[in-house]
Amino acid sequence: MSELLGLPLFNDNLLSYYRFEGNSNDSKGTQNGTDNGVTYSAANGRYTQGVGFVGAGTSYIDIAGISAAAPISATCWISPNSLPGVGTQANLVTGLTDSFQWVLNNSGQQIFSKNGSVAIGTSSTNVGTGSFAHIAATYNGTVVNFYLNGNQDGAGTNAQTLGNIIRFGGDTSLNNYNGAMDDLGIFNKVLSQTDINILYQSGQTYLGKTW
């Protein structure tokens, strides 16, 4: 059984789930990815394997499109090798015009926006490089809440309608993520802090078993 799918609390509201065990298949839905310049290895994984992005416009995963209509939550483990330069961002989960954008800025803060230009919120704490952190963003159509390692980490308010998610890890410009990612889940509900802490704690205690 998959790691996150083994937690019954989340199964009904889990739209898509990417374990990155050697591929970008969707373990819950039908949105299998198309890989471009990524690698899978144990070094890139918080669980058995994860995916590595090289921080270039040729390193990303495309999907056909997951609805980002609120309510929505996204959670994953990341381990950045480096942070983006000033004036750029590291795209984690993104789309096209009018779409969901979840990125890291050059300080390592999470940013949630519409199309990268309409700000909705920024997290409080910088994500460091070289080790895994569990991050999450939830959005009810007006308020975004951020989480880092199971704890709430800032919020923002801006009512927006968001389009589909179509890409993980980068784009064809300078806004590319350099690092590892694992256990990416997209939910059609606003997860509570208790929910997100369960996801974080399950990763902390993972011993190669199922729940």
Side-chain angles (χ1 to χ4, degrees), residues 1-210:
M1 184 178 290
S2 304
E3 292 88 5
L4 200 155
L5 289 177
L7 299 172
L9 174 63
F10 305 107
N11 205 8
D12 290 343
N13 295 105
L14 183 60
L15 290 176
S16 290
Y17 173 43
Y18 299 88
R19 300 177 65 219
F20 299 129
E21 296 294 331
N23 57 56
S24 56
N25 290 346
D26 183 351
S27 296
K28 181 59 164 63
T30 60
Q31 295 290 327
N32 292 341
T34 300
D35 296 343
N36 299 272
V38 300
T39 58
Y40 296 92
S41 69
N44 288 325
R46 180 63 182 84
Y47 296 103
T48 308
Q49 288 191 351
V51 62
F53 302 91
V54 301
T58 54
S59 182
Y60 54 88
I61 296 170
D62 277 338
I63 58 173
I66 301 170
S67 173
I72 188 167
S73 299
T75 75
C76 68
W77 291 88
I78 61 169
S79 177
N81 294 325
S82 62
L83 296 174
V86 175
T88 64
Q89 61 195 26
N91 290 352
L92 301 173
V93 178
T94 61
L96 292 176
T97 303
D98 296 333
S99 76
F100 178 110
Q101 302 277 324
W102 187 31
V103 307
L104 295 180
N105 67 12
N106 64 290
S107 297
Q109 294 166 292
Q110 301 173 63
I111 296 178
F112 189 87
S113 70
K114 179 176 181 177
N115 199 32
S117 59
V118 180
I120 299 174
T122 303
S123 69
S124 301
T125 305
N126 300 342
V127 175
T129 59
S131 62
F132 274 98
H134 187 264
I135 61 172
T138 71
Y139 187 57
N140 66 3
T142 301
V143 177
V144 60
N145 285 297
F146 297 99
Y147 298 85
L148 175 63
N149 293 333
N151 297 310
Q152 187 164 356
D153 189 51
T157 301
N158 192 343
Q160 296 291 328
T161 300
L162 303 178
N164 286 352
I165 297 164
I166 64 162
R167 182 166 289 175
F168 309 142
D171 61 20
T172 56
S173 66
L174 299 176
N175 301 317
N176 302 294
Y177 174 59
N178 181 1
M181 179 185 291
D182 201 6
D183 215 47
L184 170 63
I186 309 294
F187 302 81
N188 63 355
K189 69 172 289 187
V190 173
L191 298 182
S192 68
Q193 182 169 355
T194 298
D195 295 337
I196 290 167
N197 192 53
I198 289 171
L199 292 176
Y200 168 65
Q201 294 296 337
S202 70
Q204 288 293 91
T205 58
Y206 177 67
L207 297 173
K209 61 184 180 183
T210 57

